[in-house]
Amino acid sequence: MLPATFKLCAGISYRHMRNMTGLRKNAMVAIHHELSRLSGPGPSNWISQVRRRSSLLSSRIKEEVGYSEEEMTYVKQGEDALQKAISILSEQDGWTTETVAANGDKVLSKMLPDIGKVFKLEVMMEQHPDNLYEELVGNMEQMGEWNPNVKQVKILQKIGQDTMVTHEVSAETPGNVVGPRDFVSVRCAKRRGSTCFLAGMSTQHPKMPEQRGVVRAENGPTCIVLKPCAEDPNKTKFTWLLSIDLKGWIPKTIINKVLSQTQVDFANHLRQRMANNVSMEMAHAC
């Protein structure tokens, strides 16, 4: 089915076929259906089968939308970050446990060539994936209100529905062991079936050059994956791949401790945020 789907979609690249009633619509419906079907039990299925065939079609569709060369660069960076992150997460071997919280939250780590040490948070959330996706993507700029490790998140540019460029400023750690850092990142938000992805990596943007007095750190590939729990679809298996170069002269032992603790703290702060949202909704309903 997949090769046939791509043949259908490729048909829109021929000028005499572009105006055929319903062809382009059918092509988009078909490719969406196939990607959703391939999402299956894990993200690696659709990535491994689609990544080689989708790049040409993706570029053709985006060009027709009218993106500029700069916008296309950000779109490509976001998609690259997503594919690299999922490739890392699909490899189950070689992970070492960094910490396990009392509630079962777990942080693992792994050394990767050309990337360095990456961290993976695995937790179970009591919320539906759609609610978490709305908070993390739709309300992204409000993150500084509930996560004390973040001072500010600002969207610098949106490209279509899936891609954006953001500027984030982190807070200093207790005792100022690690001072404030800022990041300029391209983010790619995707839904594949019932699974949601929020991937990203460092980039540059003319609206946000390096700031005086703040260390410009780098990240990526990073990715948050929200997948419904098999036993209860109203719960979410939450996975966060974190890859960061904090820059500066900081011992690796301190960096490892800070990053793993940051992931555990993030899960707790997100839980509290979601609980507060539920309380507010109940109060409004009364």
Side-chain angles (χ1 to χ4, degrees):
M1 178 62 182
L2 186 62
T5 300
F6 274 89
K7 288 178 182 178
L8 171 63
C9 295
I12 66 174
S13 65
Y14 293 94
R15 185 177 302 276
H16 70 280
M17 298 182 72
R18 289 181 181 177
N19 295 325
M20 289 181 64
T21 302
L23 177 59
R24 295 177 65 180
K25 179 179 179 181
N26 291 341
M28 293 306 297
V29 170
I31 190 64
H32 176 76
H33 172 75
E34 280 301 303
L35 291 178
S36 298
R37 183 180 66 82
L38 290 172
S39 62
S44 60
N45 292 340
W46 65 269
I47 278 294
S48 62
Q49 297 185 51
V50 172
R51 71 195 327 172
R52 291 191 299 270
R53 302 181 183 183
S54 65
S55 58
L56 180 59
L57 173 64
S58 177
S59 296
R60 174 71 65 181
I61 292 171
K62 290 178 175 63
E63 285 171 2
E64 291 185 358
V65 173
Y67 290 157
S68 67
E69 184 176 347
E70 178 191 60
E71 290 171 330
M72 283 297 299
T73 298
Y74 289 131
V75 170
K76 181 64 165 57
Q77 286 178 344
E79 292 179 345
D80 286 347
L82 177 62
Q83 293 185 5
K84 289 177 182 177
I86 293 179
S87 294
I88 295 170
L89 290 172
S90 66
E91 294 293 333
Q92 300 299 317
D93 297 331
W95 293 93
T96 301
T97 301
E98 289 282 337
T99 182
V100 179
N103 62 357
D105 291 358
K106 182 187 299 184
V107 177
L108 309 171
S109 66
K110 186 177 185 178
M111 288 296 299
L112 296 175
D114 303 324
I115 294 179
K117 195 167 189 176
V118 297
F119 296 83
K120 178 173 66 171
L121 172 72
E122 295 181 340
V123 305
M124 187 64 67
M125 293 285 183
E126 298 291 327
Q127 291 80 26
H128 191 279
D130 286 349
N131 297 334
L132 292 168
Y133 186 87
E134 176 61 25
E135 184 63 47
L136 295 173
V137 179
N139 300 330
M140 183 181 296
E141 291 187 314
Q142 299 177 21
M143 187 176 294
E145 298 176 5
W146 54 268
N147 186 355
N149 293 321
V150 174
K151 284 187 175 180
Q152 176 183 302
V153 177
K154 182 179 181 181
I155 298 174
L156 301 176
Q157 183 177 355
K158 285 188 175 181
I159 304 104
Q161 295 182 342
D162 299 336
T163 308
M164 65 185 74
V165 182
T166 63
H167 178 240
E168 311 99 50
V169 182
S170 68
E172 64 273 8
T173 61
N176 202 26
V177 175
V178 178
R181 292 318 196 248
D182 79 336
F183 305 82
V184 174
S185 307
V186 58
R187 298 174 183 254
C188 177
K190 297 280 189 180
R191 289 174 178 263
R192 292 294 178 260
S194 59
T195 303
C196 305
F197 302 89
L198 176 58
M201 64 185 298
S202 285
T203 190
Q204 297 180 351
H205 197 276
K207 289 184 179 180
M208 192 55 63
E210 292 193 25
Q211 305 295 294
R212 186 174 183 178
V214 180
V215 177
R216 174 65 51 87
E218 295 182 357
N219 59 23
T222 66
C223 188
I224 289 176
V225 183
L226 307 173
K227 186 176 180 61
C229 175
E231 294 77 19
D232 185 349
N234 288 316
K235 296 182 180 180
T236 302
K237 181 181 178 183
F238 183 104
T239 304
W240 177 18
L241 176 70
L242 178 64
S243 172
I244 284 187
D245 182 355
L246 291 174
K247 303 297 183 179
W249 299 96
I250 308 173
K252 290 185 177 179
T253 53
I254 294 179
I255 292 177
N256 294 343
K257 183 177 180 180
V258 166
L259 293 182
S260 59
Q261 187 61 48
T262 295
Q263 287 190 295
V264 172
D265 291 344
F266 179 86
N268 290 329
H269 296 317
L270 180 57
R271 285 191 181 99
Q272 186 60 51
R273 171 69 167 189
M274 301 307 294
N276 291 341
N277 288 348
V278 171
S279 297
M280 292 178 63
E281 289 175 1
M282 293 178 63
H284 290 156
C286 294

